[in-house]
Amino acid sequence: GRDYTRRIHSGVERMDALISDLLAFGQITHKEVTLGAVCLETAVTRALDELQSEINRCRAKLEIVPALPVVQANQTLLHQVLVNLFSNAMKFVPEGTSPQIRVWAERKGAAVRLHIQDNGIGIEPAHHKRIFGVFERLHSSSQYPGTGIGLAIVKKGVERMGGKIGLESQLGKGSRFWIDLPSETAGRRQLLLKISRPRETAKSSVTAELPGA
């Protein structure tokens, strides 16, 4: 009887998580996104603060390379993206292994590339594109719990901010996810261009704000 009750409770929890992730994905897909200046260092710190209990539980070791620059992004979306990526980095590790996560950034032309590297189980190159799809799982839920939507949310969130996401990984050798977002300088140039063309109207669902506005 207790086992049956436990299985029902576990099933309800999985369904709740699935509904929550589906709602999050739908909201990211359809809502208007406003971009502004966001400090990556602050965004990373806040995401890790939210995951502090998990960090303590799995004894994760974190290395944040200073100083992470300012980018054009949506603070709420970026927070969700980072929480999902850090959560995965702590989840998908070999049994008995403490997660090790390294975060750093570099400038790539008009963009800033944020790197999140882990010592996890890794991903075969053949599956690098597949994992960003909705309901795409490489492992059973009994091995690694989840809904199969987390990375789809990450990809959609990054794209709605005008960015790109990718990864470098080999099976058994960890993964390095990267995110490209417009730099603060690039965002200012785009705003100046819009201001210089006041008669033009854009129908895009993405808007930008001046830093501090």
Side-chain angles (χ1 to χ4, degrees):
R2 290 183 179 179
D3 183 62
Y4 179 69
T5 302
R6 181 187 59 79
R7 282 184 288 162
I8 291 178
H9 182 68
S10 178
V12 170
E13 286 184 335
R14 288 197 299 271
M15 184 59 68
D16 285 345
L18 177 60
I19 292 172
S20 177
D21 279 354
L22 282 172
L23 289 173
F25 184 78
Q27 187 178 31
I28 289 174
T29 301
H30 298 294
K31 77 172 184 178
E32 183 176 347
V33 174
T34 300
L35 304 182
V38 178
C39 174
L40 279 179
E41 196 150 347
T42 301
V44 166
T45 300
R46 287 175 176 171
L48 293 174
D49 284 346
E50 182 172 321
L51 296 168
Q52 192 60 56
S53 60
E54 179 64 15
I55 291 171
N56 293 339
R57 186 194 66 79
C58 65
R59 299 181 179 180
K61 298 178 181 178
L62 307 170
E63 180 187 358
I64 314 299
V65 179
L68 302 180
V70 176
V71 296
Q72 283 289 310
N74 178 277
Q75 187 169 332
T76 302
L77 275 183
L78 183 57
H79 180 78
Q80 192 166 18
V81 164
L82 292 174
V83 166
N84 281 14
L85 288 176
F86 288 137
S87 179
N88 279 357
M90 290 186 284
K91 181 195 301 183
F92 293 99
V93 293
E95 187 175 355
T97 301
S98 294
Q100 296 180 12
I101 303 171
R102 186 172 187 265
V103 182
W104 74 99
E106 61 177 328
R107 297 191 181 273
K108 304 278 288 187
V112 170
R113 176 166 290 186
L114 179 70
H115 301 269
I116 299 176
Q117 182 174 303
D118 63 52
N119 64 331
I121 58 177
I123 304 165
E124 292 183 4
H127 299 313
H128 284 189
K129 291 184 178 180
R130 174 189 164 193
I131 61 171
F132 291 106
V134 178
F135 298 130
E136 290 291 349
R137 298 182 58 94
L138 302 182
H139 310 278
S140 68
S141 58
S142 61
Q143 288 180 293
Y144 298 98
T147 61
I149 307 176
L151 285 177
I153 291 174
V154 168
K155 183 174 186 291
K156 181 61 68 175
V158 171
E159 290 175 345
R160 291 303 310 279
M161 292 186 288
K164 298 178 181 178
I165 185 169
L167 78 152
E168 296 181 13
S169 182
Q170 295 285 339
L171 191 62
K173 297 183 179 180
S175 301
R176 177 163 59 87
F177 285 83
W178 54 262
I179 301 170
D180 283 350
L181 291 170
S183 66
E184 182 185 20
T185 304
R188 286 181 178 273
R189 284 201 297 266
Q190 290 175 353
L191 286 168
L192 289 173
L193 182 61
K194 288 181 180 180
I195 292 170
S196 68
R197 297 177 179 177
R199 295 182 181 179
E200 293 186 7
T201 57
K203 297 183 179 181
S204 171
S205 61
V206 179
T207 58
E209 291 182 344
L210 281 168

